[in-house]
């Protein structure tokens, strides 16, 4: 198969490209490097089946960029991410989710490609229903501080639904809940890399409010597998949640990371973010009906991430453990 991955130099995109290449697919990664980094795709460049195209999907030239190529599948992941970027990159989020998504769908029409859009749990906003099923229409403030991302994702979903209904494009949507794993930069502002950065720097974990806000966490290999399953088997025009199966408070997550790393700097509680959502929890019944399941527990996934991101810490704690059990 010949596959195009937009946002291919991002955290999830690079993991997806690696998995596709491992199965012998031809992979084109497109990225403008606004939140992704070239280093994520550098290790793939030796592979003749892989090519990287530095390109902004907001630019309409992307529609004609693959003239003469066969593109069977498009995984459309491109979107600026990160909480501090909700304001800093707000226009880029809105343009990428709107114009960018329309350009990708036009490209799909030209090539007759199947499309998978990565939407987000944030399409549910600050949810009032638990767990969130795909038919829950959410609770989004259209002018709130997170709106460029939340409404951007909802607009992208509306574009996909329109191209399915109006032009018969075969496209599916995955709403991703918190995902973590190797390939995430420790400069990333999401909660797990933030805690690991604090471990590396021997600084206290910062928790906003009392830490009772809940999230689920899914290891990136399980997420990539979920994207592949939905691409292969999802029904056109439908939405599938993918996320971890255990809901955990941020405080409990901090305690788990402390128990795995022996971090001694403790937790520093800060005033609550006004726009921090109290909880998020996916219903994953629909994706499980397609045959997907979570394989990696949070504890195992954190150990695997630590081994890659903080190898010296893992080695020294293994040594400490070995000494203490002698
Ligand atoms: N990681 C998560 O927990 C999570 C949760 C929900 C949704 N998602 C979604 O999954 C997708 C991938 O997320 P990620 O965690 O890998 O984030 P990421 O920021 O690492 O990757 C997104 C990539 O898109 C690229 N990009 C942004 N705008 C672009 C444009 N106009 N043209 C070309 N490239 C562009 C960025 O440079 C980046 O490499 C995103 O759509 C994100 O919204 C991720």
């Amino acid at each position: 198969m010949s596959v195009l991955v937009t946002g291919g130099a991002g955290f999830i995109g690079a993991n997806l490209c690696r998995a596709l290449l491992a199965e012998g697919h031809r992979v084109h990664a497109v990225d403008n490097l606004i939140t992704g980094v070239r280093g994520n795709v550098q290790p793939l460049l030796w592979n003749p089946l892989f090519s990287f195209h530095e390109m902004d999907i907001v630019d309409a030239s992307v529609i004609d960029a693959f003239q003469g190529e066969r593109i069977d599948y498009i995984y459309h992941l491109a979107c600026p991410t990160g909480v501090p970027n909700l304001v800093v990159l707000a226009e880029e989020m809105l343009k990428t989710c709107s114009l960018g998504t329309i350009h990708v769908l036009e490209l799909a029409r030209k090539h007759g490609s199947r499309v998978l859009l990565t939407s987000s749990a944030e399409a549910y906003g600050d949810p009032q229903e638990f767990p969130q099923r795909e038919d829950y229409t959410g609770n989004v403030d259209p002018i709130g501080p997170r709106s460029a991302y939340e409404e951007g994702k909802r607009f992208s979903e509306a574009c996909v639904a329109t191209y399915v209904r109006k032009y018969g494009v075969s496209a599916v949507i995955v709403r991703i809940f918190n995902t973590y794993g190797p390939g995430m930069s420790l400069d990333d502002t999401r909660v797990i890399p933030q805690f690991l950065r604090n471990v590396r720097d021997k600084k206290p974990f910062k928790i906003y409010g009392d830490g009772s806000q809940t999230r689920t966490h899914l290891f990136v290999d399980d997420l990539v597998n979920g994207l592949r399953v939905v691409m292969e088997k999802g029904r056109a025009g439908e939405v599938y949640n993918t996320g971890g199966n255990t809901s955990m408070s941020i405080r409990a997550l901090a305690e788990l990371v402390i128990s795995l790393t022996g971090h001694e700097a403790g937790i520093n509680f800060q005033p609550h973010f006004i726009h921090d959502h109290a909880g998020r929890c996916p219903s994953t019944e629909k994706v499980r009906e397609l045959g997907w399941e979570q394989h990696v527990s949070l504890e195992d996934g954190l150990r695997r991430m630590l081994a890659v991101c903080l190898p010296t810490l893992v080695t020294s704690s293994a040594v400490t453990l070995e000494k203490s059990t002698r």
Side-chain angles (χ1 to χ4, degrees):
M1 288 282 183
S2 179
V3 186
L4 178 67
V5 179
T6 76
F11 156 54
I12 296 172
N15 276 286
L16 173 63
C17 289
R18 194 172 310 111
L20 292 166
L21 289 166
E23 287 185 10
H25 299 294
R26 168 88 180 93
V27 178
H28 295 278
V30 165
D31 205 296
N32 67 350
L33 304 176
I34 193 167
T35 52
V37 289
R38 192 177 287 275
N40 281 344
V41 286
Q42 201 73 38
L44 309 178
L45 290 174
W46 66 269
N47 191 328
L49 290 173
F50 181 73
S51 54
F52 177 64
H53 311 261
E54 189 170 341
M55 210 178 263
D56 188 340
I57 61 162
V58 173
D59 187 330
S61 64
V62 73
I63 301 171
D64 299 318
F66 295 91
Q67 215 84 285
E69 290 274 352
R70 208 185 78 221
I71 306 283
D72 302 305
Y73 287 165
I74 304 177
Y75 287 90
H76 174 31
L77 277 62
C79 181
T81 56
V83 173
N85 292 333
L86 289 170
V87 175
V88 184
L89 298 179
E91 291 104 310
E92 287 82 353
M93 285 175 183
L94 290 168
K95 284 182 187 163
T96 301
C97 289
S98 55
L99 287 170
T101 296
I102 289 171
H103 295 155
V104 169
L105 289 164
E106 282 298 326
L107 173 65
R109 275 182 79 193
K110 273 186 86 157
H111 290 263
S113 328
R114 166 110 161 143
V115 180
L116 180 147
L117 164 75
T118 55
S119 182
S120 166
E122 302 241 3
Y124 298 114
D126 194 3
Q128 309 295 299
E129 279 185 18
F130 288 84
Q132 289 90 55
R133 289 166 41 100
E134 290 84 348
D135 55 6
Y136 174 49
T137 50
N139 175 39
V140 174
D141 176 356
I143 57 165
R146 302 179 90 97
S147 64
Y149 187 74
E150 291 172 339
E151 292 292 8
K153 287 295 185 187
R154 289 166 72 94
F155 190 91
S156 284
E157 291 195 14
C159 293
V160 167
T162 301
Y163 272 68
V164 170
R165 273 195 291 268
K166 191 166 173 187
Y167 300 116
V169 171
S170 178
V172 284
I173 298 166
V174 173
R175 292 193 187 127
I176 301 177
F177 285 64
N178 289 36
T179 301
Y180 71 98
M184 236 174 171
S185 155
L186 291 195
D187 294 327
D188 196 298
T189 50
R190 290 171 277 199
V191 64
I192 289 179
Q194 212 182 105
F195 283 169
L196 299 194
R197 182 167 66 250
N198 295 150
V199 170
R200 181 195 64 192
D201 299 343
K202 300 186 173 28
K203 288 193 173 155
F205 293 165
K206 248 190 234 169
I207 288 188
Y208 297 94
D210 61 2
S212 61
Q213 56 277 53
T214 57
R215 298 289 185 269
T216 61
H217 302 277
L218 187 66
F219 190 66
V220 67
D221 291 5
D222 279 336
L223 188 260
V224 164
N225 187 27
L227 298 180
R228 309 277 313 277
V229 167
V230 177
M231 179 63 108
E232 293 295 339
K233 300 186 191 165
R235 288 176 296 277
E238 298 248 343
V239 179
Y240 298 84
N241 291 330
T242 49
N245 54 18
T246 314
S247 191
M248 185 182 245
S249 73
I250 298 297
R251 187 180 181 135
L253 174 68
E255 282 159 3
L256 175 60
V257 175
I258 289 171
S259 77
L260 292 175
T261 59
H263 184 55
E264 287 177 348
I267 301 173
N268 184 348
F269 291 91
Q270 308 257 322
H272 221 301
F273 263 140
I274 48 159
H275 59 282
D276 195 12
H277 299 154
R280 271 188 229 134
C281 180
S283 157
T284 53
E285 216 177 300
K286 260 182 95 173
V287 70
R288 283 187 283 112
E289 274 168 15
L290 298 182
W292 176 83
E293 55 183 303
Q294 177 177 348
H295 290 289
V296 183
S297 69
L298 179 57
E299 193 169 325
D300 284 348
L302 286 172
R303 284 186 206 282
R304 282 162 71 169
M305 189 170 173
L306 279 164
V308 175
C309 299
L310 296 173
T312 50
L313 176 118
V314 171
T315 316
S316 61
S317 51
V319 170
T320 317
L321 187 68
E322 201 189 311
K323 276 185 188 153
S324 67
T325 50
R326 260 185 212 152

